[in-house]
Structures are given as C-alpha cells and as structure tokens.
Amino acid sequence: ESLQWRRRVGESRARKGVDAEQYLVLGRSSAEQPQSKAERIAPQHAQVWAVAMDLLSSMLRSSSGDNIDGSNCCELYEPTSLVVSKNFKGSPHIDARDVTWQYAAAFGDYSYESSNKGDVYENGEEEERSVDDALYQGGELCVESELAGGAEVILVDTRNRLARVDGRYPHWVRQYNVGCRYSLIWYRV
C-alpha cells in the first residue's frame, strides 16, 4: 500500500465506468503521440513506471527470449502507457485508443467462491458457466476472439504471468469475489 495512488475511483472522470478500489494511469509521449498534461508521469510515480518497465522486460525475456529475426523481444514493444489497479472489476469494453496489442499481468490472492452454476453481477446480469465450480478460479481476462466473428471467448490466466492480448477487441475481467487482485496493463496509444 506504499504506492501513492493518483486517483481514487469516483474522484476522477479519467475513465468512465471503472470499478476498482484504486486505479492509476501513467503515460509518456511517443513519436506518434505527443504527450498531454494528463499523461505526464508525476515525479512521485517515476519509480512505479521504472519498476513496471523492468518487470515487463524481465517477464518478456523469461517467457519468449529472442525473436526469430535475432532482435530482443523487449526492443519491439515500448509501451506509452501503464495502468496499475487494485481490485479492478471490468465489464466488457474496447480500448479504442490502443494502436497495437497490450500486455497484462495480475498478482494477488484473489479467487471466486460459489455453490451456484451461474454468477449474478451487480447490474443483475447473469453469466452462465459450463465449467465445474472447482475449476472456476475467477479474475481471468476474457477476450472475444477475432476468429469466428467474436463468437468465442478466450479465458486468459494472467495470475503471476504475462499475457499479450488485443484490447481493441471486447474484453473484461472475469468475476472474482475473494481476496485482492492487483493488475498491470502495458499498452500503446
């Protein structure tokens, strides 16, 4: 909890519809996208940015090593923005400003506990589940597949691992109701 969160949900209109205990957006300029005042990294968050970039680099190296062309995978992806969140619960959305895929990782002791076969969200909608409750962990990233016209949802386990997804397709965080979930999303705008 030593992170100095810049925004508490409800105090900022930076992103409508965000449901999270804490939500921090950091960004830097790129050649393609000049930096706005809102995207500048405040001095108190420079260390968060640096640690997150080191973590991304380390996770990329351990998961994929070098690319076929001999270049290092880390050199090919330079994020312009970072979201750090605590207990983010996302409804289906598209990150329309993204210009390419994003990386996501989650950490914590979160899970889902239920004796029901379906989940009821706060808005009253019900999610049907065809998997056994024992296999339902919760907190996975759900992404509509570009194959089959979005008819298939792919579950991506980001717990203690790095995943590359395209935020320009509908995606959300699968429901969880126990524990604490921290997530980092590296992306380019």
Side-chain angles (χ1 to χ4, degrees):
E1 293 299 323
S2 62
L3 176 62
Q4 296 175 349
W5 299 94
R6 179 170 46 186
R7 298 184 185 110
R8 290 186 181 270
V9 172
E11 292 179 358
S12 171
R13 299 182 59 80
R15 179 153 178 212
K16 286 185 176 183
V18 169
D19 180 8
E21 283 183 37
Q22 301 287 351
Y23 192 80
L24 176 66
V25 180
L26 301 176
R28 64 176 177 79
S29 62
S30 69
E32 304 85 27
Q33 185 83 17
Q35 186 176 41
S36 71
K37 280 186 177 180
E39 292 175 319
R40 291 192 185 120
I41 299 171
Q44 70 267 28
H45 296 116
Q47 185 176 7
V48 174
W49 178 269
V51 169
M53 294 309 114
D54 287 347
L55 177 63
L56 175 62
S57 179
S58 174
M59 292 178 87
L60 280 170
R61 265 192 238 97
S62 68
S63 65
S64 59
D66 288 337
N67 293 303
I68 295 171
D69 65 2
S71 63
N72 186 286
C73 56
C74 305
E75 296 169 2
L76 298 178
Y77 191 81
E78 292 184 31
T80 60
S81 304
L82 169 71
V83 168
V84 181
S85 67
K86 177 181 179 185
N87 290 332
F88 177 85
K89 296 182 180 176
S91 58
H93 66 280
I94 294 172
D95 297 325
R97 291 183 60 209
D98 285 10
V99 295
T100 188
W101 34 265
Q102 56 186 233
Y103 281 104
F107 307 93
D109 61 351
Y110 56 93
S111 63
Y112 180 82
E113 292 182 4
S114 172
S115 59
N116 300 322
K117 289 294 179 195
D119 301 320
V120 178
Y121 290 93
E122 289 179 18
N123 65 6
E125 292 181 21
E126 187 171 325
E127 176 190 23
E128 294 295 325
R129 290 207 322 257
S130 60
V131 296
D132 187 343
D133 281 342
L135 300 175
Y136 186 91
Q137 294 187 26
E140 296 91 350
L141 188 58
C142 302
V143 183
E144 285 188 10
S145 171
E146 60 190 76
L147 305 173
E152 182 180 357
V153 174
I154 298 170
L155 296 181
V156 182
D157 187 3
T158 59
R159 185 190 310 260
N160 298 323
R161 64 181 65 150
L162 190 64
R164 185 176 90 172
V165 298
D166 194 334
R168 297 168 292 182
Y169 290 92
H171 61 283
W172 61 96
V173 174
R174 196 172 194 198
Q175 186 177 19
Y176 61 97
N177 61 5
V178 176
C180 189
R181 181 182 185 273
Y182 290 91
S183 60
L184 296 114
I185 309 295
W186 296 266
Y187 61 102
R188 291 185 58 81
V189 292

